[in-house]
Amino acid sequence: MDSISVRNRSHKGIIQSNVNSFSTLYRIIDITLLVLSYLLLVKLFSIQVEQLDILTELAIYILVYQLVAESFDIYRSWRAASLFLMLKFVSLACLCSAVSLITASFFLPQWINFDHTFFLSWMGGSFLLLLGWRLLLREMLFYCRKSGLNSRSAIIIGANQLGYSLANQLLANDHLGIKLQGVFDDRDQARLAHEFRNQVTGTVADALAKAKNNEVDYIYIAMPMSAEKRIMQILNLCSDTTATVFIIPNFFIYNLLNARWQNIGSIQTLSVFDTPFQGASELLKRLEDIVLASVILLVISVPMLVIAGAVKCTSKGPVIFKQRRYGLDGKAITVYKFRSMSVQENGTSVTQATKNDPRVTPLGSFLRRTSLDELPQFINVLQGRMSVVGPRPHAVAHNEQYRKLIEGYMLRHKVRPGITGLAQVNGFRGETETINKMVQRVEYDLDYIHRWSVWLDIQIVVATIFKGVVDKNAY
């Protein structure tokens, strides 16, 4: 459960995001271990390496590792997070760094020419060091907190579902070192939900009395945002204590999409609908697209020439069909496809292709069924108009139609459209003859934006290769 620490008013604003102050130290430890393991192995293997080679290899590996680590948010607090998830993200960061260094060695052979045995030893050794120190630190901290060292006492104000969900989490995660002293509420037992009756420790006044007597370190206010006046009253009373106060906002009612706090001068705002691609994540996603699109275009260049010749010889019209579609932030872009129809609809009214559609040419039917008509879109990826993985772009006419019928439809344009996506590998590709099918496609698109990671992109690409290329619903 994310929390927002409430502080006294200052020039920085009323509230500030709770930031892990040790994140910089963690980054320094990671970089130090990577550098030391490299230099140690150079000494052990008695390898003669030029200083420029060392700097190049370390710079590429560390830069990619840090970018991927930022994307996976590896340097956040992992107190209540899954150990498996932490290990997986560190492993993926190491894997992406190794692949990037190997790829760079083909383009910069004069600067990167490492011995294979040395390289594998460094990758394996640094990987074990990065995992090992995290596991050791995690276990040390958990042991200290379970032993009562560095523990904190806490109370919760608000006998509701949110409050008891927080209480259950505190009780289930004793390694956090937060000792719960009870849940407090002013309402009569009869006004409480049935499951919360007889489980209230005392009133809000009782809670504040504990805080004033220095018996409480943390106060969690778990009240609905509609109770703004009551929350402000409690906050004013809490200011007469030394306890750290947290508000647990029930923002989930807004179905947030990549929400984050931002400062505008001294005012702090919460973005309710936002893109996952900002800062390092945006750079990493773009790097992923350029590498994948470049490699794939090299592989498919000859098949594309064959298809282009076949399209030209079998029907009248241009080889490439250009259509206006909505891209990032809902701005119109031009998307390329091999022409598969005898007509080129690109206006205010576009009819989706259906089974046995007379507009589709014989060759076009094969191209659409096997997704070969979409191969030119890898050029769109290099242009920056599209991404390899993302929500599929729809014709402008279809966007204008569905945005009026489906709530949240336009949120899928918070990222670049993709050649393949989560919806496509889950069977929602081709014709959407019912609103319900489009709703389900949009749900997958928004789920992708919410859960994006490099690992998710890799899974979607692999799934596309094995089950998403040929589709019986693509007419």
Side-chain angles (χ1 to χ4, degrees), residues 192-212:
L192 297 175
H194 179 74
E195 63 268 29
F196 306 136
R197 293 177 184 176
N198 302 317
Q199 297 189 45
V200 178
T201 307
T203 64
V204 174
D206 295 330
L208 294 173
K210 282 180 169 290
K212 287 182 179 180

Side-chain angles (χ1 to χ4, degrees), residues 370-396:
T370 56
S371 300
L372 293 175
D373 63 321
E374 296 171 358
L375 294 183
Q377 288 171 21
F378 286 103
I379 299 174
N380 290 135
V381 174
L382 291 182
Q383 292 173 329
R385 299 176 186 174
M386 293 181 64
S387 180
V388 175
V389 180
R392 283 293 299 158
H394 299 153
V396 171

Side-chain angles (χ1 to χ4, degrees), residues 32-198:
T32 301
L33 289 176
L34 289 172
V35 173
L36 289 180
S37 60
Y38 181 95
L39 296 178
L40 179 61
L41 286 173
V42 167
K43 189 74 172 177
L44 290 176
F45 280 82
S46 301
I47 296 177
Q48 299 297 322
V49 186
E50 297 292 333
Q51 186 174 4
L52 182 59
D53 294 349
I54 295 177
L55 292 175
T56 303
E57 293 170 8
L58 284 174
I60 292 174
Y61 192 92
I62 291 174
L63 176 61
V64 175
Y65 179 85
Q66 288 295 313
L67 286 173
V68 179
E70 292 293 341
S71 171
F72 289 141
D73 205 8
I74 288 176
Y75 298 113
R76 68 178 184 270
S77 173
W78 289 90
R79 273 191 172 195
S82 164
L83 173 62
F84 172 77
L85 189 64
M86 179 181 69
L87 298 182
K88 184 179 79 170
F89 285 167
V90 173
S91 301
L92 287 173
C94 291
L95 178 62
C96 291
S97 302
V99 171
S100 299
L101 189 56
I102 292 173
T103 303
S105 67
F106 289 101
F107 296 97
L108 302 170
Q110 68 276 25
W111 289 344
I112 304 175
N113 188 22
F114 41 69
D115 178 84
H116 291 165
T117 304
F118 165 79
F119 177 74
L120 292 175
S121 300
W122 180 40
M123 294 299 98
S126 61
F127 171 69
L128 293 176
L129 286 173
L130 292 172
L131 291 184
W133 88 263
R134 282 177 165 80
L135 291 174
L136 180 62
L137 178 64
R138 184 182 176 94
E139 291 304 315
M140 288 176 57
L141 292 174
F142 284 2
Y143 176 79
C144 290
R145 292 176 186 134
K146 288 181 178 180
S147 301
L149 299 175
N150 194 31
S151 64
R152 298 290 184 270
S153 59
I155 59 176
I156 297 173
I157 297 178
N160 50 42
Q161 187 62 57
L162 185 61
Y164 277 98
S165 294
L166 175 61
N168 290 331
Q169 288 299 312
L170 292 176
L171 294 172
N173 295 279
D174 56 351
H175 57 269
L176 297 177
I178 302 176
K179 311 300 182 183
L180 180 63
Q181 294 193 11
V183 178
F184 297 78
D185 201 298
D186 279 341
R187 291 175 294 175
D188 295 332
Q189 294 288 335
R191 294 178 57 196
L192 297 175
H194 179 74
E195 63 268 29
F196 306 136
R197 293 177 184 176
N198 302 317

